[in-house]
Amino acid sequence: MATTAQAIASESDDALMARVAARDADALRLLADRHADIPWRIAYRMLNDAAEAEDVAQDALLRLWQYAERWQAGGPGVAAWLTRVSTNACLDRIRRRRFVGDDAVPERADESPLADEKIEQDDVRGAVATCIEALPDRQRAAIVLTYYEERQNRMAADILAMQIKAFESLLFRARASLRDCVEGKGVGA
Amino acid sequence: MTEPAFPPHIAAALDRLTVPPLPKGFGDRLAARLAAGDLPAESNSIAPPLAPTRRRFGNTGWRRSGRIVTVVAAFGIATATAAASGFFGAPVYVPVVSDALAKAKLVELPQKDFPKPKAKPRCRQQGNGSS
């Protein structure tokens, strides 16, 4: 039994997707163990909300379950697929938030005693998070994908369904806005 | 060597935005949702998101003029068709519309009772020095 589990664990993503298409929940669990941190990271940075980020990550993996029968082996891979799906899910949520007027996510007050250094780190972190949250949705996605996820411009442009030149222009504006905002808050000085 | 995306002091600040590890029990909650059939609704998240919709009927001058021209042309065609089909009394011959209606056997082609323009007598140029 343990050898079977080890054999499954060593299978490629495409082989696991074939198992998922055959409705093997353990295979999805393994894919989640391997890749769930990708949609989690993207959603956490784009939405600045842990609960929503977990929802996005779970939805992305469940969409993988739904999409498994159409999966084509040898393509860009599960990681790229999850990056695309989670980025677009975040953009959907940001637009929905704006539509319902819930654009400001309340920050939770942390009442635990903290050392000065930790407080300062949290201040910087909070300022950066606020600056990223203040960017327009596509600019936010561009920064998260290229800076934090280290995706190439071409791939990020593809995820956002943009021409590469248009994406580079968007990224240029996003970087300038983010730099101005961070410097304006006095944390990058 | 490409230029770095941000100057070092900004990059240092951005790097503070770390992400905590996945919440404990993430995999179990995922499995529970799968077992319960709590799957996400179909949406366009797999496909790229649509760009924000453009205002098709904006108030730019060209669009407004285009609408006015379209309305006037449609009104003109409707009036001509009505006149040609005898809606206002006897059918009137309207060059293209009457021919089309007659071809479709909807109305008789009306008599073209307007007088044909007489050809003007051509002036001969005389005395140009040849005779």
mmCIF file of all heavy atoms in Angstrom, chain A residues 29 40 44-45 54 58-59 62-63 65-66 88 92 95 124-125 128 132 147-148 161 175 183 188, chain B residues 9-11 13-20 23 26 28-29 33 40-41 43-45 47-50:
data_model
loop_
_atom_site.group_PDB
_atom_site.id
_atom_site.type_symbol
_atom_site.label_atom_id
_atom_site.label_comp_id
_atom_site.label_asym_id
_atom_site.label_seq_id
_atom_site.Cartn_x
_atom_site.Cartn_y
_atom_site.Cartn_z
ATOM 1 N N ARG A 29 -5.455 15.632 -4.466
ATOM 2 C CA ARG A 29 -4.825 16.000 -3.194
ATOM 3 C C ARG A 29 -3.311 16.132 -3.377
ATOM 4 O O ARG A 29 -2.692 17.054 -2.850
ATOM 5 C CB ARG A 29 -5.174 14.910 -2.167
ATOM 6 C CG ARG A 29 -4.691 15.155 -0.763
ATOM 7 C CD ARG A 29 -5.520 16.243 -0.095
ATOM 8 N NE ARG A 29 -5.010 16.546 1.226
ATOM 9 C CZ ARG A 29 -5.587 16.143 2.347
ATOM 10 N NH1 ARG A 29 -6.691 15.431 2.322
ATOM 11 N NH2 ARG A 29 -5.077 16.476 3.511
ATOM 12 N N TRP A 40 -2.398 30.328 -3.799
ATOM 13 C CA TRP A 40 -2.447 30.950 -2.468
ATOM 14 C C TRP A 40 -1.611 32.218 -2.438
ATOM 15 O O TRP A 40 -2.069 33.259 -1.987
ATOM 16 C CB TRP A 40 -1.953 29.923 -1.433
ATOM 17 C CG TRP A 40 -1.551 30.488 -0.105
ATOM 18 C CD1 TRP A 40 -0.283 30.579 0.392
ATOM 19 C CD2 TRP A 40 -2.407 31.030 0.921
ATOM 20 N NE1 TRP A 40 -0.296 31.139 1.644
ATOM 21 C CE2 TRP A 40 -1.588 31.426 1.987
ATOM 22 C CE3 TRP A 40 -3.784 31.213 1.006
ATOM 23 C CZ2 TRP A 40 -2.099 31.991 3.142
ATOM 24 C CZ3 TRP A 40 -4.286 31.793 2.178
ATOM 25 C CH2 TRP A 40 -3.454 32.164 3.225
ATOM 26 N N TYR A 44 -3.172 35.874 -2.145
ATOM 27 C CA TYR A 44 -2.865 36.587 -0.900
ATOM 28 C C TYR A 44 -2.320 37.980 -1.210
ATOM 29 O O TYR A 44 -2.703 38.961 -0.581
ATOM 30 C CB TYR A 44 -1.844 35.782 -0.092
ATOM 31 C CG TYR A 44 -1.667 36.263 1.315
ATOM 32 C CD1 TYR A 44 -2.434 35.730 2.353
ATOM 33 C CD2 TYR A 44 -0.747 37.258 1.619
ATOM 34 C CE1 TYR A 44 -2.277 36.177 3.651
ATOM 35 C CE2 TYR A 44 -0.593 37.708 2.915
ATOM 36 C CZ TYR A 44 -1.349 37.171 3.926
ATOM 37 O OH TYR A 44 -1.203 37.621 5.214
ATOM 38 N N ARG A 45 -1.449 38.049 -2.217
ATOM 39 C CA ARG A 45 -0.848 39.356 -2.522
ATOM 40 C C ARG A 45 -1.817 40.243 -3.310
ATOM 41 O O ARG A 45 -1.817 41.459 -3.136
ATOM 42 C CB ARG A 45 0.446 39.166 -3.305
ATOM 43 C CG ARG A 45 1.575 38.660 -2.418
ATOM 44 C CD ARG A 45 2.903 38.742 -3.135
ATOM 45 N NE ARG A 45 4.012 38.472 -2.237
ATOM 46 C CZ ARG A 45 4.792 37.403 -2.346
ATOM 47 N NH1 ARG A 45 4.597 36.507 -3.279
ATOM 48 N NH2 ARG A 45 5.797 37.233 -1.491
ATOM 49 N N GLU A 54 -7.621 31.862 0.466
ATOM 50 C CA GLU A 54 -7.845 30.421 0.583
ATOM 51 C C GLU A 54 -8.994 29.987 -0.333
ATOM 52 O O GLU A 54 -8.924 28.939 -0.980
ATOM 53 C CB GLU A 54 -8.135 30.023 2.031
ATOM 54 C CG GLU A 54 -8.286 28.505 2.151
ATOM 55 C CD GLU A 54 -8.420 27.992 3.577
ATOM 56 O OE1 GLU A 54 -8.140 28.756 4.511
ATOM 57 O OE2 GLU A 54 -8.799 26.824 3.726
ATOM 58 N N GLN A 58 -8.584 27.239 -3.261
ATOM 59 C CA GLN A 58 -9.415 26.026 -3.314
ATOM 60 C C GLN A 58 -10.227 25.976 -4.602
ATOM 61 O O GLN A 58 -10.332 24.928 -5.242
ATOM 62 C CB GLN A 58 -10.340 25.978 -2.102
ATOM 63 C CG GLN A 58 -9.582 25.649 -0.828
ATOM 64 C CD GLN A 58 -10.502 25.186 0.283
ATOM 65 O OE1 GLN A 58 -11.713 25.165 0.133
ATOM 66 N NE2 GLN A 58 -9.913 24.835 1.411
ATOM 67 N N ASP A 59 -10.792 27.122 -4.969
ATOM 68 C CA ASP A 59 -11.572 27.162 -6.216
ATOM 69 C C ASP A 59 -10.703 26.789 -7.412
ATOM 70 O O ASP A 59 -11.145 26.071 -8.305
ATOM 71 C CB ASP A 59 -12.166 28.561 -6.433
ATOM 72 C CG ASP A 59 -13.414 28.795 -5.581
ATOM 73 O OD1 ASP A 59 -13.824 27.861 -4.870
ATOM 74 O OD2 ASP A 59 -13.957 29.914 -5.621
ATOM 75 N N LEU A 62 -10.252 23.100 -7.425
ATOM 76 C CA LEU A 62 -11.499 22.414 -7.782
ATOM 77 C C LEU A 62 -11.828 22.607 -9.264
ATOM 78 O O LEU A 62 -12.430 21.743 -9.890
ATOM 79 C CB LEU A 62 -12.651 22.914 -6.900
ATOM 80 C CG LEU A 62 -12.533 22.477 -5.427
ATOM 81 C CD1 LEU A 62 -13.578 23.181 -4.570
ATOM 82 C CD2 LEU A 62 -12.671 20.964 -5.275
ATOM 83 N N ARG A 63 -11.418 23.757 -9.796
ATOM 84 C CA ARG A 63 -11.598 23.955 -11.246
ATOM 85 C C ARG A 63 -10.700 22.991 -12.027
ATOM 86 O O ARG A 63 -11.050 22.560 -13.129
ATOM 87 C CB ARG A 63 -11.268 25.394 -11.635
ATOM 88 C CG ARG A 63 -12.352 26.357 -11.278
ATOM 89 C CD ARG A 63 -12.101 27.742 -11.860
ATOM 90 N NE ARG A 63 -12.872 28.722 -11.136
ATOM 91 C CZ ARG A 63 -14.185 28.871 -11.262
ATOM 92 N NH1 ARG A 63 -14.857 28.102 -12.071
ATOM 93 N NH2 ARG A 63 -14.816 29.787 -10.554
ATOM 94 N N TRP A 65 -10.123 20.023 -11.105
ATOM 95 C CA TRP A 65 -10.940 18.793 -11.070
ATOM 96 C C TRP A 65 -11.996 18.827 -12.181
ATOM 97 O O TRP A 65 -12.201 17.857 -12.900
ATOM 98 C CB TRP A 65 -11.587 18.679 -9.688
ATOM 99 C CG TRP A 65 -12.557 17.557 -9.511
ATOM 100 C CD1 TRP A 65 -13.906 17.603 -9.706
ATOM 101 C CD2 TRP A 65 -12.265 16.223 -9.072
ATOM 102 N NE1 TRP A 65 -14.470 16.392 -9.423
ATOM 103 C CE2 TRP A 65 -13.476 15.521 -9.018
ATOM 104 C CE3 TRP A 65 -11.088 15.563 -8.705
ATOM 105 C CZ2 TRP A 65 -13.567 14.196 -8.629
ATOM 106 C CZ3 TRP A 65 -11.174 14.241 -8.313
ATOM 107 C CH2 TRP A 65 -12.400 13.567 -8.281
ATOM 108 N N GLN A 66 -12.647 19.992 -12.301
ATOM 109 C CA GLN A 66 -13.700 20.128 -13.314
ATOM 110 C C GLN A 66 -13.128 20.084 -14.733
ATOM 111 O O GLN A 66 -13.777 19.619 -15.650
ATOM 112 C CB GLN A 66 -14.447 21.460 -13.122
ATOM 113 C CG GLN A 66 -15.301 21.502 -11.867
ATOM 114 C CD GLN A 66 -15.871 22.900 -11.617
ATOM 115 O OE1 GLN A 66 -15.138 23.876 -11.687
ATOM 116 N NE2 GLN A 66 -17.149 22.985 -11.324
ATOM 117 N N ASN A 88 -6.926 35.302 -12.771
ATOM 118 C CA ASN A 88 -8.208 35.764 -13.312
ATOM 119 C C ASN A 88 -9.318 35.722 -12.266
ATOM 120 O O ASN A 88 -10.197 36.583 -12.252
ATOM 121 C CB ASN A 88 -8.570 34.953 -14.557
ATOM 122 C CG ASN A 88 -7.645 35.282 -15.712
ATOM 123 O OD1 ASN A 88 -7.236 36.419 -15.858
ATOM 124 N ND2 ASN A 88 -7.286 34.296 -16.495
ATOM 125 N N ASP A 92 -11.512 38.895 -11.077
ATOM 126 C CA ASP A 92 -12.983 38.848 -10.960
ATOM 127 C C ASP A 92 -13.426 39.357 -9.592
ATOM 128 O O ASP A 92 -14.381 40.118 -9.475
ATOM 129 C CB ASP A 92 -13.483 37.414 -11.140
ATOM 130 C CG ASP A 92 -13.462 36.985 -12.598
ATOM 131 O OD1 ASP A 92 -13.293 37.860 -13.459
ATOM 132 O OD2 ASP A 92 -13.595 35.772 -12.860
ATOM 133 N N ARG A 95 -12.999 43.122 -9.165
ATOM 134 C CA ARG A 95 -14.049 43.865 -9.885
ATOM 135 C C ARG A 95 -15.389 43.751 -9.174
ATOM 136 O O ARG A 95 -16.164 44.692 -9.132
ATOM 137 C CB ARG A 95 -14.151 43.356 -11.323
ATOM 138 C CG ARG A 95 -12.971 43.822 -12.136
ATOM 139 C CD ARG A 95 -12.897 43.179 -13.478
ATOM 140 N NE ARG A 95 -11.621 43.528 -14.100
ATOM 141 C CZ ARG A 95 -11.131 42.916 -15.165
ATOM 142 N NH1 ARG A 95 -11.787 41.932 -15.733
ATOM 143 N NH2 ARG A 95 -9.973 43.275 -15.674
ATOM 144 N N VAL A 124 6.012 48.486 7.361
ATOM 145 C CA VAL A 124 6.494 48.456 5.978
ATOM 146 C C VAL A 124 5.630 47.504 5.167
ATOM 147 O O VAL A 124 5.193 47.824 4.065
ATOM 148 C CB VAL A 124 7.975 48.008 5.937
ATOM 149 C CG1 VAL A 124 8.426 47.825 4.493
ATOM 150 C CG2 VAL A 124 8.852 49.018 6.640
ATOM 151 N N ARG A 125 5.391 46.353 5.744
ATOM 152 C CA ARG A 125 4.587 45.337 5.063
ATOM 153 C C ARG A 125 3.186 45.881 4.748
ATOM 154 O O ARG A 125 2.676 45.725 3.639
ATOM 155 C CB ARG A 125 4.486 44.111 5.974
ATOM 156 C CG ARG A 125 4.001 42.897 5.270
ATOM 157 C CD ARG A 125 3.714 41.765 6.230
ATOM 158 N NE ARG A 125 3.092 40.694 5.484
ATOM 159 C CZ ARG A 125 1.863 40.734 5.015
ATOM 160 N NH1 ARG A 125 1.098 41.791 5.232
ATOM 161 N NH2 ARG A 125 1.379 39.736 4.316
ATOM 162 N N VAL A 128 3.316 48.516 1.999
ATOM 163 C CA VAL A 128 3.479 47.912 0.666
ATOM 164 C C VAL A 128 2.170 47.272 0.227
ATOM 165 O O VAL A 128 1.728 47.427 -0.921
ATOM 166 C CB VAL A 128 4.635 46.879 0.676
ATOM 167 C CG1 VAL A 128 4.653 46.087 -0.627
ATOM 168 C CG2 VAL A 128 5.967 47.573 0.876
ATOM 169 N N ILE A 132 0.027 48.232 -3.087
ATOM 170 C CA ILE A 132 -0.332 47.266 -4.139
ATOM 171 C C ILE A 132 -1.848 47.240 -4.304
ATOM 172 O O ILE A 132 -2.367 47.187 -5.419
ATOM 173 C CB ILE A 132 0.228 45.868 -3.798
ATOM 174 C CG1 ILE A 132 1.750 45.888 -3.968
ATOM 175 C CG2 ILE A 132 -0.394 44.786 -4.677
ATOM 176 C CD1 ILE A 132 2.441 44.607 -3.612
ATOM 177 N N TYR A 147 6.952 40.497 -10.550
ATOM 178 C CA TYR A 147 7.915 40.716 -9.473
ATOM 179 C C TYR A 147 7.896 39.567 -8.465
ATOM 180 O O TYR A 147 8.940 38.968 -8.182
ATOM 181 C CB TYR A 147 7.629 42.043 -8.761
ATOM 182 C CG TYR A 147 8.696 42.359 -7.725
ATOM 183 C CD1 TYR A 147 9.936 42.845 -8.124
ATOM 184 C CD2 TYR A 147 8.473 42.133 -6.369
ATOM 185 C CE1 TYR A 147 10.932 43.100 -7.186
ATOM 186 C CE2 TYR A 147 9.461 42.391 -5.434
ATOM 187 C CZ TYR A 147 10.686 42.871 -5.840
ATOM 188 O OH TYR A 147 11.676 43.107 -4.923
ATOM 189 N N TYR A 148 6.720 39.251 -7.962
ATOM 190 C CA TYR A 148 6.669 38.252 -6.888
ATOM 191 C C TYR A 148 6.698 36.821 -7.427
ATOM 192 O O TYR A 148 7.344 35.953 -6.849
ATOM 193 C CB TYR A 148 5.418 38.470 -6.036
ATOM 194 C CG TYR A 148 5.519 39.705 -5.177
ATOM 195 C CD1 TYR A 148 4.750 40.832 -5.440
ATOM 196 C CD2 TYR A 148 6.389 39.765 -4.103
ATOM 197 C CE1 TYR A 148 4.841 41.977 -4.675
ATOM 198 C CE2 TYR A 148 6.498 40.910 -3.323
ATOM 199 C CZ TYR A 148 5.724 42.004 -3.609
ATOM 200 O OH TYR A 148 5.837 43.136 -2.838
ATOM 201 N N ALA A 161 -4.272 38.221 -21.245
ATOM 202 C CA ALA A 161 -4.812 38.359 -22.605
ATOM 203 C C ALA A 161 -4.462 39.716 -23.200
ATOM 204 O O ALA A 161 -5.322 40.425 -23.721
ATOM 205 C CB ALA A 161 -6.328 38.147 -22.614
ATOM 206 N N ARG A 175 4.823 49.918 -12.140
ATOM 207 C CA ARG A 175 6.057 50.087 -11.347
ATOM 208 C C ARG A 175 6.220 51.527 -10.887
ATOM 209 O O ARG A 175 6.591 51.777 -9.738
ATOM 210 C CB ARG A 175 7.261 49.674 -12.197
ATOM 211 C CG ARG A 175 7.414 48.172 -12.340
ATOM 212 C CD ARG A 175 8.514 47.862 -13.323
ATOM 213 N NE ARG A 175 8.737 46.432 -13.458
ATOM 214 C CZ ARG A 175 9.437 45.892 -14.451
ATOM 215 N NH1 ARG A 175 9.979 46.652 -15.375
ATOM 216 N NH2 ARG A 175 9.598 44.584 -14.500
ATOM 217 N N GLU A 183 7.459 55.243 -1.845
ATOM 218 C CA GLU A 183 8.309 56.366 -1.411
ATOM 219 C C GLU A 183 7.476 57.423 -0.690
ATOM 220 O O GLU A 183 7.938 58.019 0.280
ATOM 221 C CB GLU A 183 9.019 56.979 -2.628
ATOM 222 C CG GLU A 183 10.219 56.149 -3.063
ATOM 223 C CD GLU A 183 10.908 56.680 -4.314
ATOM 224 O OE1 GLU A 183 10.293 57.503 -5.034
ATOM 225 O OE2 GLU A 183 12.037 56.247 -4.571
ATOM 226 N N GLY A 188 10.387 53.428 1.807
ATOM 227 C CA GLY A 188 11.449 52.979 0.909
ATOM 228 C C GLY A 188 12.662 53.877 0.947
ATOM 229 O O GLY A 188 13.604 53.704 0.202
ATOM 230 N N HIS B 9 16.209 50.108 -2.648
ATOM 231 C CA HIS B 9 15.464 50.430 -1.423
ATOM 232 C C HIS B 9 13.974 50.108 -1.577
ATOM 233 O O HIS B 9 13.320 49.696 -0.623
ATOM 234 C CB HIS B 9 15.692 51.891 -1.014
ATOM 235 C CG HIS B 9 15.187 52.904 -1.999
ATOM 236 N ND1 HIS B 9 15.804 53.144 -3.201
ATOM 237 C CD2 HIS B 9 14.113 53.718 -1.955
ATOM 238 C CE1 HIS B 9 15.130 54.088 -3.851
ATOM 239 N NE2 HIS B 9 14.105 54.455 -3.112
ATOM 240 N N ILE B 10 13.449 50.257 -2.797
ATOM 241 C CA ILE B 10 12.038 49.904 -3.033
ATOM 242 C C ILE B 10 11.884 48.376 -3.039
ATOM 243 O O ILE B 10 10.933 47.831 -2.455
ATOM 244 C CB ILE B 10 11.547 50.497 -4.370
ATOM 245 C CG1 ILE B 10 11.638 52.016 -4.359
ATOM 246 C CG2 ILE B 10 10.113 50.051 -4.669
ATOM 247 C CD1 ILE B 10 10.646 52.719 -3.469
ATOM 248 N N ALA B 11 12.831 47.722 -3.693
ATOM 249 C CA ALA B 11 12.770 46.250 -3.745
ATOM 250 C C ALA B 11 12.823 45.664 -2.331
ATOM 251 O O ALA B 11 12.113 44.701 -2.015
ATOM 252 C CB ALA B 11 13.920 45.717 -4.584
ATOM 253 N N ALA B 13 11.727 47.038 0.358
ATOM 254 C CA ALA B 13 10.409 47.232 0.989
ATOM 255 C C ALA B 13 9.400 46.229 0.431
ATOM 256 O O ALA B 13 8.623 45.621 1.184
ATOM 257 C CB ALA B 13 9.923 48.663 0.759
ATOM 258 N N LEU B 14 9.432 46.047 -0.901
ATOM 259 C CA LEU B 14 8.475 45.119 -1.519
ATOM 260 C C LEU B 14 8.691 43.690 -1.015
ATOM 261 O O LEU B 14 7.729 42.924 -0.865
ATOM 262 C CB LEU B 14 8.599 45.154 -3.042
ATOM 263 C CG LEU B 14 8.224 46.462 -3.752
ATOM 264 C CD1 LEU B 14 8.386 46.319 -5.254
ATOM 265 C CD2 LEU B 14 6.791 46.865 -3.424
ATOM 266 N N ASP B 15 9.934 43.358 -0.756
ATOM 267 C CA ASP B 15 10.236 41.989 -0.307
ATOM 268 C C ASP B 15 9.693 41.709 1.102
ATOM 269 O O ASP B 15 9.659 40.557 1.534
ATOM 270 C CB ASP B 15 11.742 41.737 -0.362
ATOM 271 C CG ASP B 15 12.242 41.661 -1.803
ATOM 272 O OD1 ASP B 15 11.393 41.514 -2.709
ATOM 273 O OD2 ASP B 15 13.468 41.772 -2.025
ATOM 274 N N ARG B 16 9.310 42.771 1.805
ATOM 275 C CA ARG B 16 8.712 42.549 3.132
ATOM 276 C C ARG B 16 7.306 41.956 3.035
ATOM 277 O O ARG B 16 6.777 41.462 4.017
ATOM 278 C CB ARG B 16 8.609 43.883 3.897
ATOM 279 C CG ARG B 16 9.937 44.527 4.217
ATOM 280 C CD ARG B 16 10.503 43.968 5.509
ATOM 281 N NE ARG B 16 11.754 44.603 5.849
ATOM 282 C CZ ARG B 16 11.858 45.718 6.550
ATOM 283 N NH1 ARG B 16 10.776 46.319 6.990
ATOM 284 N NH2 ARG B 16 13.036 46.223 6.838
ATOM 285 N N LEU B 17 6.719 42.079 1.850
ATOM 286 C CA LEU B 17 5.355 41.546 1.688
ATOM 287 C C LEU B 17 5.441 40.028 1.484
ATOM 288 O O LEU B 17 5.244 39.505 0.392
ATOM 289 C CB LEU B 17 4.640 42.216 0.508
ATOM 290 C CG LEU B 17 3.160 41.830 0.322
ATOM 291 C CD1 LEU B 17 2.336 42.206 1.542
ATOM 292 C CD2 LEU B 17 2.591 42.495 -0.923
ATOM 293 N N THR B 18 5.771 39.363 2.556
ATOM 294 C CA THR B 18 5.887 37.900 2.497
ATOM 295 C C THR B 18 4.499 37.280 2.652
ATOM 296 O O THR B 18 3.562 37.926 3.141
ATOM 297 C CB THR B 18 6.802 37.388 3.610
ATOM 298 O OG1 THR B 18 6.324 37.917 4.844
ATOM 299 C CG2 THR B 18 8.236 37.812 3.388
ATOM 300 N N VAL B 19 4.405 36.043 2.241
ATOM 301 C CA VAL B 19 3.123 35.326 2.325
ATOM 302 C C VAL B 19 3.274 34.193 3.334
ATOM 303 O O VAL B 19 4.242 33.432 3.266
ATOM 304 C CB VAL B 19 2.744 34.768 0.935
ATOM 305 C CG1 VAL B 19 1.469 33.949 1.012
ATOM 306 C CG2 VAL B 19 2.581 35.899 -0.053
ATOM 307 N N PRO B 20 2.362 34.081 4.274
ATOM 308 C CA PRO B 20 2.452 32.978 5.242
ATOM 309 C C PRO B 20 2.208 31.639 4.539
ATOM 310 O O PRO B 20 1.660 31.608 3.429
ATOM 311 C CB PRO B 20 1.330 33.289 6.242
ATOM 312 C CG PRO B 20 0.383 34.165 5.499
ATOM 313 C CD PRO B 20 1.190 34.929 4.504
ATOM 314 N N PRO B 23 -2.762 27.830 5.061
ATOM 315 C CA PRO B 23 -3.400 27.592 6.364
ATOM 316 C C PRO B 23 -3.476 26.086 6.666
ATOM 317 O O PRO B 23 -3.597 25.269 5.748
ATOM 318 C CB PRO B 23 -4.808 28.165 6.187
ATOM 319 C CG PRO B 23 -4.743 29.037 5.011
ATOM 320 C CD PRO B 23 -3.649 28.549 4.143
ATOM 321 N N PHE B 26 -5.752 22.986 4.997
ATOM 322 C CA PHE B 26 -6.176 23.403 3.652
ATOM 323 C C PHE B 26 -6.575 22.184 2.812
ATOM 324 O O PHE B 26 -7.644 22.168 2.200
ATOM 325 C CB PHE B 26 -5.040 24.179 2.964
ATOM 326 C CG PHE B 26 -5.338 24.571 1.538
ATOM 327 C CD1 PHE B 26 -5.991 25.748 1.252
ATOM 328 C CD2 PHE B 26 -4.968 23.742 0.480
ATOM 329 C CE1 PHE B 26 -6.273 26.105 -0.058
ATOM 330 C CE2 PHE B 26 -5.248 24.090 -0.832
ATOM 331 C CZ PHE B 26 -5.895 25.274 -1.098
ATOM 332 N N ASP B 28 -7.447 19.212 3.802
ATOM 333 C CA ASP B 28 -8.649 18.545 4.324
ATOM 334 C C ASP B 28 -9.912 19.292 3.910
ATOM 335 O O ASP B 28 -10.920 18.686 3.551
ATOM 336 C CB ASP B 28 -8.583 18.463 5.858
ATOM 337 C CG ASP B 28 -7.440 17.559 6.314
ATOM 338 O OD1 ASP B 28 -7.051 16.674 5.518
ATOM 339 O OD2 ASP B 28 -6.942 17.746 7.437
ATOM 340 N N ARG B 29 -9.850 20.612 3.989
ATOM 341 C CA ARG B 29 -11.025 21.403 3.586
ATOM 342 C C ARG B 29 -11.291 21.253 2.092
ATOM 343 O O ARG B 29 -12.446 21.197 1.653
ATOM 344 C CB ARG B 29 -10.825 22.878 3.958
ATOM 345 C CG ARG B 29 -10.963 23.141 5.457
ATOM 346 C CD ARG B 29 -11.060 24.618 5.760
ATOM 347 N NE ARG B 29 -9.802 25.315 5.549
ATOM 348 C CZ ARG B 29 -8.795 25.343 6.424
ATOM 349 N NH1 ARG B 29 -8.902 24.721 7.583
ATOM 350 N NH2 ARG B 29 -7.687 25.995 6.150
ATOM 351 N N ARG B 33 -14.701 19.725 0.496
ATOM 352 C CA ARG B 33 -15.508 20.406 -0.527
ATOM 353 C C ARG B 33 -15.722 19.491 -1.725
ATOM 354 O O ARG B 33 -16.810 19.458 -2.301
ATOM 355 C CB ARG B 33 -14.801 21.688 -0.983
ATOM 356 C CG ARG B 33 -15.026 22.868 -0.063
ATOM 357 C CD ARG B 33 -14.464 24.145 -0.650
ATOM 358 N NE ARG B 33 -15.185 24.570 -1.865
ATOM 359 C CZ ARG B 33 -14.881 25.667 -2.556
ATOM 360 N NH1 ARG B 33 -13.896 26.447 -2.159
ATOM 361 N NH2 ARG B 33 -15.566 25.998 -3.628
ATOM 362 N N PRO B 40 -16.881 25.101 -7.603
ATOM 363 C CA PRO B 40 -17.155 26.490 -7.997
ATOM 364 C C PRO B 40 -18.070 26.546 -9.220
ATOM 365 O O PRO B 40 -18.036 25.657 -10.069
ATOM 366 C CB PRO B 40 -15.762 27.044 -8.330
ATOM 367 C CG PRO B 40 -14.899 25.867 -8.536
ATOM 368 C CD PRO B 40 -15.474 24.742 -7.763
ATOM 369 N N ALA B 41 -18.851 27.593 -9.263
ATOM 370 C CA ALA B 41 -19.760 27.775 -10.410
ATOM 371 C C ALA B 41 -18.934 28.058 -11.649
ATOM 372 O O ALA B 41 -17.817 28.556 -11.556
ATOM 373 C CB ALA B 41 -20.701 28.932 -10.133
ATOM 374 N N SER B 43 -17.437 29.872 -14.477
ATOM 375 C CA SER B 43 -17.195 31.300 -14.692
ATOM 376 C C SER B 43 -16.130 31.422 -15.754
ATOM 377 O O SER B 43 -15.674 30.430 -16.315
ATOM 378 C CB SER B 43 -16.740 31.985 -13.407
ATOM 379 O OG SER B 43 -15.381 31.744 -13.194
ATOM 380 N N ASN B 44 -15.733 32.645 -16.006
ATOM 381 C CA ASN B 44 -14.726 32.841 -17.047
ATOM 382 C C ASN B 44 -13.324 32.876 -16.461
ATOM 383 O O ASN B 44 -12.416 33.397 -17.063
ATOM 384 C CB ASN B 44 -15.013 34.128 -17.830
ATOM 385 C CG ASN B 44 -14.952 35.339 -16.939
ATOM 386 O OD1 ASN B 44 -14.785 35.202 -15.727
ATOM 387 N ND2 ASN B 44 -15.091 36.510 -17.523
ATOM 388 N N SER B 45 -13.155 32.291 -15.260
ATOM 389 C CA SER B 45 -11.837 32.372 -14.643
ATOM 390 C C SER B 45 -10.785 31.560 -15.385
ATOM 391 O O SER B 45 -9.607 31.825 -15.269
ATOM 392 C CB SER B 45 -11.917 31.892 -13.199
ATOM 393 O OG SER B 45 -12.669 32.793 -12.456
ATOM 394 N N ALA B 47 -10.730 31.163 -18.672
ATOM 395 C CA ALA B 47 -10.369 32.015 -19.802
ATOM 396 C C ALA B 47 -9.899 33.358 -19.262
ATOM 397 O O ALA B 47 -10.186 33.695 -18.126
ATOM 398 C CB ALA B 47 -11.591 32.211 -20.685
ATOM 399 N N PRO B 48 -9.176 34.093 -20.085
ATOM 400 C CA PRO B 48 -8.763 35.419 -19.631
ATOM 401 C C PRO B 48 -9.979 36.296 -19.374
ATOM 402 O O PRO B 48 -11.004 36.122 -20.029
ATOM 403 C CB PRO B 48 -7.958 35.962 -20.819
ATOM 404 C CG PRO B 48 -7.687 34.817 -21.687
ATOM 405 C CD PRO B 48 -8.694 33.768 -21.400
ATOM 406 N N PRO B 49 -9.882 37.214 -18.447
ATOM 407 C CA PRO B 49 -11.034 38.061 -18.162
ATOM 408 C C PRO B 49 -11.304 39.004 -19.324
ATOM 409 O O PRO B 49 -10.394 39.372 -20.042
ATOM 410 C CB PRO B 49 -10.597 38.854 -16.936
ATOM 411 C CG PRO B 49 -9.124 38.908 -17.052
ATOM 412 C CD PRO B 49 -8.697 37.626 -17.718
ATOM 413 N N LEU B 50 -12.530 39.344 -19.472
ATOM 414 C CA LEU B 50 -12.872 40.292 -20.509
ATOM 415 C C LEU B 50 -12.398 41.675 -20.100
ATOM 416 O O LEU B 50 -12.403 42.015 -18.924
ATOM 417 C CB LEU B 50 -14.389 40.315 -20.710
ATOM 418 C CG LEU B 50 -14.993 39.039 -21.253
ATOM 419 C CD1 LEU B 50 -16.507 39.155 -21.249
ATOM 420 C CD2 LEU B 50 -14.498 38.763 -22.657
#
